[in-house]
Amino acid sequence: MSRIAYVNGRYVPHTDASVHVEDRGYQFADGVYEVCEIRDGRIVDERRHLDRLDRSLSELSIRTPFSRRSAGMILREVIRRNRVRSGLVYLQVTRGVARRDHAFPGPEVPPSVVVTAKSVPVERGDHAASAGVKVITLPDNRWDRVDIKSVSLLPNVLAKQKAHEAGAKEAWFVDDAGLVTEGSSTNAWIVTKDGRIVTRPADHGILRGITRTVVVEAIEGEGLTLEERPFSVAEALEAKEAFITAASTIVMPVVAIDDRPIGNGHPGTIASNLRAKFHTYAEQSELVAN
Ligand code: PMP
């Protein structure tokens, strides 16, 4: 079955799906995006993802190109046409196509919208989670508005590549004070020896991950203890457990940081339990795909 993408009002074969060379996303990375998990044919946490999209757009003064209802319809149609039961749906909005000039184009230029969806077997993530993943640490060299989910991801791309070259799955960014900010595409967490779960406050230093928000609720719901405060690489190396969160990975145990084992070097029980419980706390849409 061939894949279908949504591009500016049309559903087109994925292989032909393209935007203009003067799309400001292509020229300036002048756009924002969201990634939602699709699980059992349902969109996970759609409301929160679309709320965050609205916020990212408004922070960058990009007009919201659709109503909430039509955004939902486009997401569903792309998922349905690609018959995705388990996987990811990607939504990108840029400031549109205009003659190249750094300053914003006029209000007559409509934002560009792209939506794609892909199947990812549930077992792939579960398999990775049963082994756990390795992370490396790198200086955080990003701009100070990483709270906006912008497609301007070059430092994140370079960091992820460095991680892969080091045989790791993720890179944790570290600020000038030696404190972990977040991963290149995930939020970062540790569990202290006495069982407190620690993650950096979602101020301007990190993206407020939707998975992070749900895990905070899961921690409360499960009667666990949360401490929202920054932690250092040194503290992480002494932690009982570590894990990362994102819509694409859910809760993923971390078993080594910079090649040093965390805890007993195996996925921790708190991380594994939060992974198992995650979808009972997340919001699920009605059934989209069978
Ligand atoms: N931080 C960064 C830098 C990310 O790119 C992502 C994933 N897009 C996250 C955190 C996790 O966000 P979410 O849980 O909403 O996927």
Side-chain angles (χ1 to χ4, degrees), residues 33-35 49 52 142 146 149 153 156 173 182-187 206-213 245-248:
Y33 74 107
E34 283 296 328
V35 179
H49 281 282
R52 186 173 63 183
R142 300 173 299 161
V146 296
K149 199 162 171 58
L153 291 170
N156 310 57
F173 288 121
E182 63 181 329
S184 70
S185 63
T186 58
N187 289 118
I206 66 166
L207 181 76
R208 185 185 290 276
I210 303 303
T211 319
R212 178 191 181 285
T213 300
T245 57
S248 56

Side-chain angles (χ1 to χ4, degrees), residues 37 39-40 86-87 120-131 252 275:
E37 187 198 9
R39 180 108 173 174
D40 298 327
S86 125
V120 185
V122 176
E123 305 77 52
R124 192 178 298 173
D126 288 347
H127 181 72
S130 65
M252 184 61 66
R275 180 182 179 83

Side-chain angles (χ1 to χ4, degrees), residues 179-236:
L179 301 167
V180 173
T181 54
E182 63 181 329
S184 70
S185 63
T186 58
N187 289 118
W189 307 68
I190 58 169
V191 182
T192 62
K193 291 223 163 65
D194 56 359
R196 284 168 293 126
I197 304 171
V198 184
T199 198
R200 192 176 176 111
D203 52 22
H204 279 201
I206 66 166
L207 181 76
R208 185 185 290 276
I210 303 303
T211 319
R212 178 191 181 285
T213 300
V214 175
V215 167
V216 166
E217 287 182 8
I219 288 167
E220 283 164 14
E222 297 299 305
L224 299 166
T225 307
L226 173 71
E227 262 179 36
E228 281 190 271
R229 62 165 174 85
F231 60 86
S232 66
V233 176
E235 184 179 7

